[in-house]
Amino acid sequence: MLFTLAGCTSNYKYKIGVSQCVGGPWREKANNEMLSAQHLYDNDVKVIIRNADNSNERQCQQIDSLVDEGVDLLIVSPNDYNVLNKSLQRACDKNIPIVFFDRTTALKHYAAYIGGDNVEAGRSMAEYAVSLCRDSVRVNGRNPVVLEITGPLELTPDIDRYNGFSNYISRHSDIDYKHCTSKWTYDDTRQIMTRWLKAGNTADVVFCHSDIAALAAYDAAKSMGKQKDMYFLGVDALPGKGEGIEAVQQHRLTASYIYPTHGEEVIALALRILEGKPFQRVNNMKSFVVTPQNVVDVSLSSNALMRQNQYLATIQSKLEAYLGLYHTQRTLLIVSLLVILFLIVAVFATWRAVRATRRANRRMRELNNEQTRFFTNASHQLRTPLTLIAGPVSQLAEGKGDSKQLIDIVRRNVEQLQRLVGDVLLFRRENSATIDDASVITNEQLSASLKSVQDSRHSIMINDNTDELATVLIVDDNADMRAYLRTLLLDRYYVIEAADGQSGLKLAVESVPDIVVSDVMMPVMDGLTFCTRLKQHEATSHIPVLMLTARSSEQQHIEGLQTGADAYMTKPFSADLLLANIASLLNNRQALRRAFAAKVAEEDTVVSADGPSTPDSFFLNRFMKAMDKNLSNTKLKIDDLGDELGLSRVQLYRKVKALTGKTPVEILRETRLKRAMQLLKTTDKTVAEIAYEVGFATPGYFSSCFKKQFDKYPTDIRGDQP
């Protein structure tokens, strides 16, 4: 509770969630501009960006996740016109404004739209195509042919660019206008262009809705030796190596339309909405065509802007670090004050509890002799009816004696035993009433005070040693059963709870426990479905599951194990057996962790291509490949690896730590150092060159880490070589 209260003090004034439909250079440029812009205003603004990677399901999940994180505004570039509406409507129901960026959906109740004017983009490129047909295209006895290759015409950019281009070009009867659709990818566009030319068709001007598609059409024509007689037009005109502006300079593209990103304007619009200031609902950003005549000036200007964005990104990264340090210090200060206050209250409660205990003890000493006499007599009287019950029951079980007589004996002694138990309970109630009357503070108040102190000590222990205790998630709809299990486990493990499979799955995905103990029969989501979903989720597939159930048939046990459960126990169960099962599953997981850790330390992959594969080894291979791909990136963050694997930072940390015993940061550092050792032994590169190549920002820090890992400096390795 203390950390929850302290965390509230470090919240940003505004949290803006960004859901991008896909990645790519254009959207990365927009993302960098939005991240840089978040610190340009006098507001404490946090921009959170998610990339759906062309997946409708992932974008819906990411939008729901951003809503659950409590963002104040959503910026959405949708992947589909209709599929996202349920998630977007959920955001609207929570009064979260929605700003569509670049694209829109069928949802009508959005706050604003901002993006390029796609109709104007299509019209401008059509106008340029007409000028090419009149001034540059040379035809003999036929009309010039203009071919437009669009996307699938399902989203607003496709439709608007097509409408702008086709409406303008159709007005010119002296031009033969052709159109075909594609999947808006390089490979598909190249295949379409190849089929078009092989079919004997011609095209003087080819307009594609992106530079990537236009370059694909160019490459297809070039492979057939026909590119010199054609003009290729695209859209985006991004700066950088291999992008649209460079393609125009190299005469692979004749022209491209600069499709504006302007991420800083997107954030400015979002802040106007959040602060209740006037804003336009539709914001179309204007642009122009990059041609051979202006490409040099545009290239110089674009490269200068790219450098400025890089500087802003560096400033933003440092500012994030400073803000994080500031929030941490502020949180620690508040937590310290709250702990001091809590300790004062606990000391006062303990003092009152001690006084009450002393008064109660005086009264208890007065009753002690009477209690001793009573229970001595009761013990003697209880032995007789118990003997007269156990004996006849044994005889009946063996088929001996007069059944009616034996049953009568048992009945009479059961009645006597009931009377004795009733007397004991009555005596206890009378004693409790006497103690209550004699005490200033009741036993309930005393227990509550002592429990408060114990809970405080336990809370401190948990916060100090969370990493040392295995986390057990209990999922059961019976509150008494959860309380009983918690009592058994609390001294050994860190325990969290959920009342049904659905909330248990959500808690498991968020916290990634070390083991799950779950009931089978539960409302909302039963234990079998819960176990199946848990084993299918990337973040939780490795977690062992122990199922508890009252269902005892062999087929029911098989059904439970088929869902992926690691162990199955029938109620009622032995507490010692339950603890032994949990310890055994955790030990097995520890053994597997050591095996994975050893494999990771030896190789770049956990399982070879022809070896056995498990979900855990498959995940670790993906993690190692993602890490290897970004090894030279000095600015690589664990968040970046998590985004690539579809996991949050916490999920990635807990899963990798559970599988290998090491954090992602430790594995990344060891991998970089192993690669550096290999390069030192097999290449003539300098130590500085190797440091940068394996992702270290400075050679000095690289040498320090290398010495700590191998007990030698990099220069020593070079000196040891013959």
mmCIF file of all heavy atoms in Angstrom, residues 570-599:
data_model
loop_
_atom_site.group_PDB
_atom_site.id
_atom_site.type_symbol
_atom_site.label_atom_id
_atom_site.label_comp_id
_atom_site.label_asym_id
_atom_site.label_seq_id
_atom_site.Cartn_x
_atom_site.Cartn_y
_atom_site.Cartn_z
ATOM 1 N N THR A 570 -6.300 -34.326 -5.646
ATOM 2 C CA THR A 570 -7.725 -34.448 -5.362
ATOM 3 C C THR A 570 -8.010 -33.986 -3.935
ATOM 4 O O THR A 570 -7.272 -34.303 -2.998
ATOM 5 C CB THR A 570 -8.181 -35.904 -5.534
ATOM 6 O OG1 THR A 570 -7.853 -36.341 -6.851
ATOM 7 C CG2 THR A 570 -9.676 -36.029 -5.334
ATOM 8 N N LYS A 571 -9.086 -33.214 -3.758
ATOM 9 C CA LYS A 571 -9.520 -32.803 -2.427
ATOM 10 C C LYS A 571 -10.283 -33.957 -1.762
ATOM 11 O O LYS A 571 -11.015 -34.687 -2.444
ATOM 12 C CB LYS A 571 -10.444 -31.593 -2.525
ATOM 13 C CG LYS A 571 -9.812 -30.338 -3.122
ATOM 14 C CD LYS A 571 -10.854 -29.231 -3.229
ATOM 15 C CE LYS A 571 -10.284 -27.974 -3.860
ATOM 16 N NZ LYS A 571 -11.297 -26.916 -4.022
ATOM 17 N N PRO A 572 -10.207 -34.105 -0.433
ATOM 18 C CA PRO A 572 -9.294 -33.390 0.486
ATOM 19 C C PRO A 572 -7.862 -33.878 0.288
ATOM 20 O O PRO A 572 -7.642 -35.024 -0.080
ATOM 21 C CB PRO A 572 -9.837 -33.759 1.862
ATOM 22 C CG PRO A 572 -10.494 -35.081 1.660
ATOM 23 C CD PRO A 572 -11.072 -35.082 0.264
ATOM 24 N N PHE A 573 -6.925 -32.997 0.539
ATOM 25 C CA PHE A 573 -5.525 -33.311 0.281
ATOM 26 C C PHE A 573 -4.703 -33.086 1.546
ATOM 27 O O PHE A 573 -5.094 -32.373 2.455
ATOM 28 C CB PHE A 573 -4.972 -32.431 -0.843
ATOM 29 C CG PHE A 573 -5.207 -30.971 -0.623
ATOM 30 C CD1 PHE A 573 -4.377 -30.214 0.185
ATOM 31 C CD2 PHE A 573 -6.305 -30.353 -1.212
ATOM 32 C CE1 PHE A 573 -4.605 -28.873 0.388
ATOM 33 C CE2 PHE A 573 -6.538 -29.007 -0.999
ATOM 34 C CZ PHE A 573 -5.691 -28.266 -0.204
ATOM 35 N N SER A 574 -3.531 -33.707 1.552
ATOM 36 C CA SER A 574 -2.602 -33.533 2.655
ATOM 37 C C SER A 574 -1.820 -32.234 2.474
ATOM 38 O O SER A 574 -1.304 -31.967 1.380
ATOM 39 C CB SER A 574 -1.634 -34.719 2.713
ATOM 40 O OG SER A 574 -0.503 -34.417 3.493
ATOM 41 N N ALA A 575 -1.749 -31.453 3.536
ATOM 42 C CA ALA A 575 -1.000 -30.202 3.451
ATOM 43 C C ALA A 575 0.469 -30.473 3.139
ATOM 44 O O ALA A 575 1.079 -29.765 2.325
ATOM 45 C CB ALA A 575 -1.135 -29.422 4.756
ATOM 46 N N ASP A 576 1.049 -31.494 3.757
ATOM 47 C CA ASP A 576 2.460 -31.817 3.508
ATOM 48 C C ASP A 576 2.673 -32.243 2.054
ATOM 49 O O ASP A 576 3.676 -31.889 1.421
ATOM 50 C CB ASP A 576 2.918 -32.946 4.441
ATOM 51 C CG ASP A 576 2.988 -32.482 5.892
ATOM 52 O OD1 ASP A 576 3.120 -31.261 6.112
ATOM 53 O OD2 ASP A 576 2.893 -33.340 6.788
ATOM 54 N N LEU A 577 1.709 -33.016 1.513
ATOM 55 C CA LEU A 577 1.836 -33.444 0.119
ATOM 56 C C LEU A 577 1.738 -32.252 -0.826
ATOM 57 O O LEU A 577 2.457 -32.177 -1.828
ATOM 58 C CB LEU A 577 0.756 -34.471 -0.210
ATOM 59 C CG LEU A 577 0.792 -35.068 -1.627
ATOM 60 C CD1 LEU A 577 2.130 -35.751 -1.888
ATOM 61 C CD2 LEU A 577 -0.360 -36.046 -1.823
ATOM 62 N N LEU A 578 0.860 -31.304 -0.514
ATOM 63 C CA LEU A 578 0.738 -30.097 -1.342
ATOM 64 C C LEU A 578 2.051 -29.322 -1.354
ATOM 65 O O LEU A 578 2.544 -28.920 -2.420
ATOM 66 C CB LEU A 578 -0.390 -29.207 -0.812
ATOM 67 C CG LEU A 578 -0.522 -27.841 -1.488
ATOM 68 C CD1 LEU A 578 -1.001 -28.011 -2.919
ATOM 69 C CD2 LEU A 578 -1.465 -26.934 -0.704
ATOM 70 N N LEU A 579 2.639 -29.108 -0.174
ATOM 71 C CA LEU A 579 3.898 -28.371 -0.091
ATOM 72 C C LEU A 579 5.016 -29.120 -0.820
ATOM 73 O O LEU A 579 5.859 -28.502 -1.480
ATOM 74 C CB LEU A 579 4.272 -28.147 1.377
ATOM 75 C CG LEU A 579 3.343 -27.221 2.176
ATOM 76 C CD1 LEU A 579 3.714 -27.225 3.646
ATOM 77 C CD2 LEU A 579 3.399 -25.810 1.619
ATOM 78 N N ALA A 580 5.016 -30.444 -0.708
ATOM 79 C CA ALA A 580 6.041 -31.228 -1.391
ATOM 80 C C ALA A 580 5.896 -31.125 -2.907
ATOM 81 O O ALA A 580 6.882 -31.028 -3.643
ATOM 82 C CB ALA A 580 5.956 -32.693 -0.951
ATOM 83 N N ASN A 581 4.655 -31.152 -3.383
ATOM 84 C CA ASN A 581 4.420 -31.020 -4.832
ATOM 85 C C ASN A 581 4.897 -29.675 -5.354
ATOM 86 O O ASN A 581 5.522 -29.574 -6.413
ATOM 87 C CB ASN A 581 2.932 -31.192 -5.145
ATOM 88 C CG ASN A 581 2.595 -32.624 -5.523
ATOM 89 O OD1 ASN A 581 3.283 -33.251 -6.305
ATOM 90 N ND2 ASN A 581 1.533 -33.147 -4.939
ATOM 91 N N ILE A 582 4.563 -28.592 -4.617
ATOM 92 C CA ILE A 582 4.989 -27.253 -5.038
ATOM 93 C C ILE A 582 6.514 -27.172 -5.061
ATOM 94 O O ILE A 582 7.114 -26.665 -6.016
ATOM 95 C CB ILE A 582 4.386 -26.182 -4.111
ATOM 96 C CG1 ILE A 582 2.869 -26.119 -4.297
ATOM 97 C CG2 ILE A 582 5.011 -24.810 -4.370
ATOM 98 C CD1 ILE A 582 2.173 -25.177 -3.347
ATOM 99 N N ALA A 583 7.154 -27.667 -4.011
ATOM 100 C CA ALA A 583 8.615 -27.631 -3.953
ATOM 101 C C ALA A 583 9.229 -28.443 -5.094
ATOM 102 O O ALA A 583 10.219 -28.032 -5.709
ATOM 103 C CB ALA A 583 9.093 -28.164 -2.601
ATOM 104 N N SER A 584 8.617 -29.609 -5.402
ATOM 105 C CA SER A 584 9.141 -30.445 -6.485
ATOM 106 C C SER A 584 9.029 -29.743 -7.835
ATOM 107 O O SER A 584 9.968 -29.758 -8.634
ATOM 108 C CB SER A 584 8.377 -31.770 -6.527
ATOM 109 O OG SER A 584 8.795 -32.556 -7.618
ATOM 110 N N LEU A 585 7.879 -29.107 -8.108
ATOM 111 C CA LEU A 585 7.702 -28.402 -9.382
ATOM 112 C C LEU A 585 8.692 -27.248 -9.508
ATOM 113 O O LEU A 585 9.252 -27.004 -10.580
ATOM 114 C CB LEU A 585 6.264 -27.885 -9.494
ATOM 115 C CG LEU A 585 5.175 -28.955 -9.687
ATOM 116 C CD1 LEU A 585 3.796 -28.329 -9.628
ATOM 117 C CD2 LEU A 585 5.372 -29.692 -11.003
ATOM 118 N N LEU A 586 8.904 -26.518 -8.417
ATOM 119 C CA LEU A 586 9.857 -25.406 -8.452
ATOM 120 C C LEU A 586 11.284 -25.915 -8.632
ATOM 121 O O LEU A 586 12.095 -25.291 -9.322
ATOM 122 C CB LEU A 586 9.732 -24.564 -7.187
ATOM 123 C CG LEU A 586 8.442 -23.740 -7.059
ATOM 124 C CD1 LEU A 586 8.376 -23.047 -5.709
ATOM 125 C CD2 LEU A 586 8.347 -22.713 -8.177
ATOM 126 N N ASN A 587 11.610 -27.057 -7.995
ATOM 127 C CA ASN A 587 12.949 -27.632 -8.166
ATOM 128 C C ASN A 587 13.162 -28.094 -9.611
ATOM 129 O O ASN A 587 14.249 -27.933 -10.182
ATOM 130 C CB ASN A 587 13.134 -28.810 -7.210
ATOM 131 C CG ASN A 587 13.317 -28.355 -5.768
ATOM 132 O OD1 ASN A 587 13.725 -27.216 -5.523
ATOM 133 N ND2 ASN A 587 13.003 -29.217 -4.824
ATOM 134 N N ASN A 588 12.122 -28.708 -10.200
ATOM 135 C CA ASN A 588 12.220 -29.110 -11.608
ATOM 136 C C ASN A 588 12.440 -27.897 -12.504
ATOM 137 O O ASN A 588 13.226 -27.931 -13.453
ATOM 138 C CB ASN A 588 10.952 -29.851 -12.038
ATOM 139 C CG ASN A 588 10.823 -31.207 -11.371
ATOM 140 O OD1 ASN A 588 11.806 -31.753 -10.873
ATOM 141 N ND2 ASN A 588 9.623 -31.754 -11.349
ATOM 142 N N ARG A 589 11.716 -26.815 -12.204
ATOM 143 C CA ARG A 589 11.885 -25.592 -12.982
ATOM 144 C C ARG A 589 13.292 -25.035 -12.792
ATOM 145 O O ARG A 589 13.898 -24.515 -13.732
ATOM 146 C CB ARG A 589 10.828 -24.575 -12.548
ATOM 147 C CG ARG A 589 10.944 -23.189 -13.187
ATOM 148 C CD ARG A 589 10.962 -23.221 -14.674
ATOM 149 N NE ARG A 589 9.780 -23.833 -15.260
ATOM 150 C CZ ARG A 589 9.591 -23.958 -16.553
ATOM 151 N NH1 ARG A 589 10.516 -23.525 -17.416
ATOM 152 N NH2 ARG A 589 8.498 -24.532 -17.020
ATOM 153 N N GLN A 590 13.834 -25.158 -11.563
ATOM 154 C CA GLN A 590 15.192 -24.684 -11.300
ATOM 155 C C GLN A 590 16.217 -25.499 -12.098
ATOM 156 O O GLN A 590 17.179 -24.945 -12.644
ATOM 157 C CB GLN A 590 15.484 -24.788 -9.795
ATOM 158 C CG GLN A 590 16.818 -24.240 -9.365
ATOM 159 C CD GLN A 590 16.887 -22.733 -9.461
ATOM 160 O OE1 GLN A 590 15.871 -22.086 -9.561
ATOM 161 N NE2 GLN A 590 18.082 -22.171 -9.454
ATOM 162 N N ALA A 591 15.993 -26.822 -12.178
ATOM 163 C CA ALA A 591 16.903 -27.669 -12.953
ATOM 164 C C ALA A 591 16.845 -27.301 -14.434
ATOM 165 O O ALA A 591 17.873 -27.234 -15.117
ATOM 166 C CB ALA A 591 16.532 -29.137 -12.760
ATOM 167 N N LEU A 592 15.643 -27.073 -14.933
ATOM 168 C CA LEU A 592 15.497 -26.660 -16.331
ATOM 169 C C LEU A 592 16.143 -25.300 -16.557
ATOM 170 O O LEU A 592 16.756 -25.049 -17.597
ATOM 171 C CB LEU A 592 14.016 -26.611 -16.697
ATOM 172 C CG LEU A 592 13.689 -26.366 -18.177
ATOM 173 C CD1 LEU A 592 14.288 -27.459 -19.040
ATOM 174 C CD2 LEU A 592 12.172 -26.311 -18.374
ATOM 175 N N ARG A 593 16.015 -24.407 -15.576
ATOM 176 C CA ARG A 593 16.641 -23.081 -15.676
ATOM 177 C C ARG A 593 18.150 -23.212 -15.790
ATOM 178 O O ARG A 593 18.777 -22.536 -16.607
ATOM 179 C CB ARG A 593 16.270 -22.253 -14.443
ATOM 180 C CG ARG A 593 16.961 -20.892 -14.373
ATOM 181 C CD ARG A 593 16.736 -20.219 -13.039
ATOM 182 N NE ARG A 593 15.339 -19.969 -12.785
ATOM 183 C CZ ARG A 593 14.858 -19.494 -11.645
ATOM 184 N NH1 ARG A 593 15.681 -19.231 -10.648
ATOM 185 N NH2 ARG A 593 13.568 -19.297 -11.485
ATOM 186 N N ARG A 594 18.749 -24.118 -14.983
ATOM 187 C CA ARG A 594 20.207 -24.304 -15.060
ATOM 188 C C ARG A 594 20.618 -24.846 -16.433
ATOM 189 O O ARG A 594 21.642 -24.451 -16.996
ATOM 190 C CB ARG A 594 20.668 -25.247 -13.949
ATOM 191 C CG ARG A 594 20.630 -24.624 -12.558
ATOM 192 C CD ARG A 594 21.387 -25.474 -11.547
ATOM 193 N NE ARG A 594 20.734 -26.752 -11.325
ATOM 194 C CZ ARG A 594 19.829 -26.967 -10.373
ATOM 195 N NH1 ARG A 594 19.455 -25.973 -9.565
ATOM 196 N NH2 ARG A 594 19.274 -28.153 -10.209
ATOM 197 N N ALA A 595 19.786 -25.766 -16.972
ATOM 198 C CA ALA A 595 20.095 -26.316 -18.293
ATOM 199 C C ALA A 595 20.028 -25.239 -19.363
ATOM 200 O O ALA A 595 20.897 -25.136 -20.226
ATOM 201 C CB ALA A 595 19.121 -27.455 -18.624
ATOM 202 N N PHE A 596 18.994 -24.410 -19.319
ATOM 203 C CA PHE A 596 18.859 -23.319 -20.286
ATOM 204 C C PHE A 596 20.007 -22.326 -20.143
ATOM 205 O O PHE A 596 20.568 -21.854 -21.129
ATOM 206 C CB PHE A 596 17.525 -22.603 -20.094
ATOM 207 C CG PHE A 596 16.369 -23.283 -20.767
ATOM 208 C CD1 PHE A 596 15.108 -23.255 -20.206
ATOM 209 C CD2 PHE A 596 16.541 -23.948 -21.969
ATOM 210 C CE1 PHE A 596 14.033 -23.868 -20.820
ATOM 211 C CE2 PHE A 596 15.472 -24.561 -22.599
ATOM 212 C CZ PHE A 596 14.224 -24.533 -22.023
ATOM 213 N N ALA A 597 20.335 -21.992 -18.885
ATOM 214 C CA ALA A 597 21.398 -21.016 -18.653
ATOM 215 C C ALA A 597 22.729 -21.525 -19.209
ATOM 216 O O ALA A 597 23.500 -20.777 -19.813
ATOM 217 C CB ALA A 597 21.511 -20.714 -17.163
ATOM 218 N N ALA A 598 22.996 -22.824 -19.008
ATOM 219 C CA ALA A 598 24.236 -23.395 -19.521
ATOM 220 C C ALA A 598 24.252 -23.386 -21.047
ATOM 221 O O ALA A 598 25.267 -23.093 -21.674
ATOM 222 C CB ALA A 598 24.390 -24.829 -19.005
ATOM 223 N N LYS A 599 23.106 -23.669 -21.632
ATOM 224 C CA LYS A 599 23.022 -23.682 -23.096
ATOM 225 C C LYS A 599 23.208 -22.284 -23.664
ATOM 226 O O LYS A 599 23.908 -22.084 -24.668
ATOM 227 C CB LYS A 599 21.650 -24.230 -23.511
ATOM 228 C CG LYS A 599 21.622 -24.762 -24.931
ATOM 229 C CD LYS A 599 22.369 -26.078 -25.038
ATOM 230 C CE LYS A 599 22.228 -26.674 -26.433
ATOM 231 N NZ LYS A 599 22.981 -27.911 -26.577
#
